[in-house]
Amino acid sequence: MRAFFDNLRLSLGTFLGNPLRSLLTLLGIVIGVATVIAMMGLIEGFRLKMNRDLSQLGASTFQVTKFPSGFGRFNWAKYAKRPNLTLEDVRAISLAPSVGMVSAVDEEGGQKVTTAARETRPAVTVTGTTPAYLETSGITVESGRFFGETESVDGRSVAVLGVDVADTLFPNMNPLGYEVRIRGRAFTVIGVLQRRGSFMGMVSLDNQVIVPLAPYQMLYGKNHSLDINVQAREPKLLDKAQDEVGVLLRRRRNLAPLAPNDFEVNTNESMTKTFNQLSGVVTAASFGVCLLALVVGGIGILNIMLVSVTERTREIGIRKALGARKGRILGQFATEAVILALVGGVIGVAIGFLGAFLVRWLLRFETVVPTWAVLLSLGMSSGVGLLFGIYPAARAARLDPVDAMRHD
């Protein structure tokens, strides 16, 4: 144990004696570790945020869509040829035995909402839907109310505002009873949603206006495919409800027994699985970059340790002449290499944490650095130091003390 602490003291002394040279040598390790820490912080924060956002939909809810959702490259022209999902499909699905509630949804982004005195930026999402949307989407009305079946069937011009829209158009006011205009059509505000934040840290869920489907289709047309939110009667009937909806839609679309579905069924689990696959690829790529940078850093450590052995040949000779064994010399230089790499790893971890913090602070994007990423990064950097430090250490241990003491 005493020998270890002596080696540790000598290693730190060597590092502090040539700090600039040591830091430049460690640049590859610092870059690699910082990259892993920052990327893992982003991915983990992204994953936690996505799971939280998806959990708002509830454990017994799924969505039927024309186009696939999630991440990846899709042949959109192929999916565009699929038949639209319609209100008739919604009515048919609502009659399935295991289905509790069904809502039809259509959205148009990039819209401007105005009043006589103010207007929003053209970034509002206008959602046309049916009354069951309140239960099937996980939203909550904070003040006022949601529109009912009568208002939906009659196509009344009523609107429920997201918090961002309400704050922009009616600052320091209660918007209930006032009018807003969408594409020139007046809607009476009957409710304001509870604040929801953003989806995966990118898209605000509060910058929206929800109106009944009928007036929405008068503004944006009826030729769009609807998204259908489906809630099972009970959480335990979720799988059965999905099967019933799948069979029903295949029959309505006259699909052959072996033909693939021409619609998508998305659940929290399926979207989470898709994201986890994507994050796995990004994680592997990050560690690939880290490994490459660590190899570069390891070559730097190999170089500086060889230089150190050459510079300290006389010192090594004197120590061996005084009785230091090969194992002690080997341990000293191997410890120096590991400590050097570990210092680079610690600096990289600090820079990675700083990068994650700046992203959270500047972009308001949630970042969470997992403990395993820190431990793995430090372990990899130490391993690289040991791997690339063994040869110089062994070379120092093999020096003949007489020849070494003659070295200038």
Side-chain angles (χ1 to χ4, degrees), residues 106-111 124-128 183 216 220 224:
D106 197 5
E107 294 182 341
E108 190 71 30
Q111 301 301 297
V124 177
T125 298
V126 177
T127 301
R183 288 196 168 186
Y216 173 91
Y220 299 104
H224 301 165

Side-chain angles (χ1 to χ4, degrees), residues 167-396:
D167 288 345
T168 300
L169 299 180
F170 304 98
N172 304 316
M173 293 175 57
N174 184 349
L176 300 182
Y178 287 89
E179 285 189 349
V180 298
R181 287 188 171 272
I182 305 172
R183 288 196 168 186
R185 178 165 178 161
F187 289 81
T188 302
V189 179
I190 61 171
V192 177
L193 298 175
Q194 189 176 77
R195 186 177 295 278
R196 302 171 67 196
S198 60
F199 183 69
M200 297 186 291
M202 296 184 295
V203 180
S204 174
L205 298 175
D206 300 312
N207 198 28
Q208 70 171 142
V209 176
I210 303 176
V211 301
L213 187 60
Y216 173 91
Q217 291 182 330
M218 292 182 66
L219 291 176
Y220 299 104
K222 298 182 179 181
N223 295 326
H224 301 165
S225 181
L226 299 174
D227 294 337
I228 304 175
N229 292 346
V230 184
Q231 185 181 69
R233 289 188 180 276
E234 301 176 29
K236 65 181 181 181
L237 296 177
L238 177 62
D239 291 338
K240 188 175 181 181
Q242 291 180 49
D243 292 340
E244 290 175 358
V245 169
V247 170
L248 185 150
L249 288 177
R250 288 183 63 87
R251 186 165 60 245
R252 287 179 58 83
R253 292 162 178 254
N254 298 316
L255 293 176
L258 298 180
N261 290 340
D262 56 1
F263 55 90
E264 304 290 328
V265 177
N266 303 307
T267 63
N268 295 355
E269 182 179 350
S270 63
M271 293 188 67
T272 301
K273 182 178 179 181
T274 301
F275 173 75
N276 288 339
Q277 290 174 346
L278 176 65
S279 65
V281 173
V282 176
T283 299
S286 299
F287 277 104
V289 172
C290 176
L291 185 61
L292 181 61
L294 287 176
V295 169
V296 174
I299 294 173
I301 290 175
L302 174 63
N303 180 61
I304 196 174
M305 293 305 299
L306 288 173
V307 171
S308 179
V309 169
T310 302
E311 291 177 345
R312 297 160 63 187
T313 299
R314 186 176 179 83
E315 173 196 330
I316 296 169
I318 294 173
R319 292 191 64 193
K320 297 191 74 172
L322 292 175
R325 298 182 177 181
K326 287 184 178 181
R328 184 67 181 272
I329 302 297
L330 179 67
Q332 176 188 342
F333 282 88
T335 302
E336 286 187 16
V338 172
I339 293 299
L340 194 63
L342 187 59
V343 168
V346 171
I347 295 173
V349 167
I351 294 176
F353 267 98
L354 178 61
F357 169 76
L358 290 176
V359 169
R360 183 168 64 248
W361 181 54
L362 294 175
L363 304 180
R364 300 287 185 256
F365 189 93
E366 183 176 5
T367 55
V368 179
V369 178
T371 303
W372 66 263
V374 176
L375 297 178
L376 183 60
S377 297
L378 294 178
M380 289 176 65
S381 60
S382 301
V384 166
L386 181 61
L387 179 65
F388 284 88
I390 285 294
Y391 172 71
R395 182 176 176 180

